[in-house]
Amino acid sequence: MPIAVDIDVMLAKRKMSVGELADRVGITPANLAVLKNGRAKAVRFTTLAALCEVLECQPGDLLRWEPDSPGDGDKAAHESGASVPAASPPR
């Protein structure tokens, strides 16, 4: 997945445990682990805002984009059901 989650980096910088963060944010440690390990398919803005408030950081400190390997883009789009637009003819 091209979105990498760096919650573990911020936890280390803040010397905070996953359990403490989950408790302060108001989510279960299991759900935080899913997000932290990059297995989440989505994150609510309210959850992201709570993470940023507790960790005193910006969303970009927790999430970053990493390009897929060459050739993975079409496969990922196909598997997700997304359509890949055709190139427009030159004018």
Side-chain angles (χ1 to χ4, degrees):
M1 174 183 258
I3 302 296
V5 181
D6 291 329
I7 291 175
D8 52 346
V9 173
M10 292 307 297
L11 283 170
K13 287 181 179 179
R14 302 297 187 250
K15 296 182 172 79
M16 187 181 299
S17 70
V18 172
E20 180 183 353
L21 179 60
D23 186 51
R24 291 178 61 183
V25 169
I27 61 176
T28 66
N31 283 341
L32 182 57
V34 167
L35 179 59
K36 184 175 87 68
N37 295 324
R39 296 188 316 262
K41 298 293 180 193
V43 61
R44 289 189 171 125
F45 280 177
T46 53
T47 302
L48 184 58
L51 288 166
C52 290
E53 182 178 353
V54 171
L55 293 170
E56 299 178 353
C57 66
Q58 295 295 313
D61 296 325
L62 301 177
L63 304 172
R64 64 186 154 81
W65 178 75
E66 290 183 341
D68 283 334
S69 301
D72 285 350
D74 292 339
K75 180 181 174 189
H78 176 70
E79 289 175 355
S80 71
S83 61
V84 178
S88 300
R91 292 185 177 189

